[in-house]
Amino acid sequence: MIDWHDIITTVLAVVAVVSMAIAAGQLTRGLTTDRDGDRDMLVRIDASTSSTDQRLARIEVKMDDHSTRISALEARVADVDQRVGRIESRCDDHLSVGGTD
């Protein structure tokens, strides 16, 4: 004959197994959701990094262009300085020759 104690124990065991199965399913879904969230975050970080790399590449191109332009301007300034120096020297020579009478 079946005892009430055995029936209650069996029912509680079944409830415990069902509860564990439900909890395991929720935990698995939670981990999947966390992984999806992590994956989405990594995708956003990758997009941001790619965008930053592209901006840096454009900045480097501009810096190279500016360096080239600065070098050309420095060469022109040096040439103008030499020309002005020669002109000033000629003026000084001219003034000193005809200087004091």
Side-chain angles (χ1 to χ4, degrees):
M1 180 163 148
I2 299 178
D3 188 10
W4 282 105
H5 183 269
D6 293 337
I7 293 173
I8 292 173
T9 304
T10 304
V11 168
L12 289 175
V14 169
V15 168
V17 169
V18 170
S19 295
M20 285 176 33
I22 291 171
Q26 289 175 342
L27 180 62
T28 302
R29 271 183 291 207
L31 291 176
T32 301
T33 302
D34 287 346
R35 278 191 231 128
D36 290 343
D38 291 346
R39 187 175 306 120
D40 290 343
M41 185 183 301
L42 288 173
V43 166
R44 286 192 304 270
I45 290 170
D46 182 51
S48 175
T49 303
S50 297
S51 173
T52 302
D53 288 344
Q54 291 171 356
R55 286 186 209 149
L56 284 174
R58 286 193 304 265
I59 289 170
E60 287 176 353
V61 167
K62 286 181 181 180
M63 285 179 61
D64 290 343
D65 179 53
H66 290 163
S67 294
T68 302
R69 292 172 63 189
I70 288 170
S71 295
L73 289 171
E74 287 175 339
R76 286 183 61 195
V77 166
D79 182 51
V80 168
D81 275 347
Q82 285 180 339
R83 292 174 64 196
V84 168
R86 282 194 306 258
I87 291 170
E88 286 178 343
S89 177
R90 287 182 188 161
C91 287
D92 289 342
D93 291 345
H94 180 66
L95 291 174
S96 66
V97 168
T100 53
D101 268 329

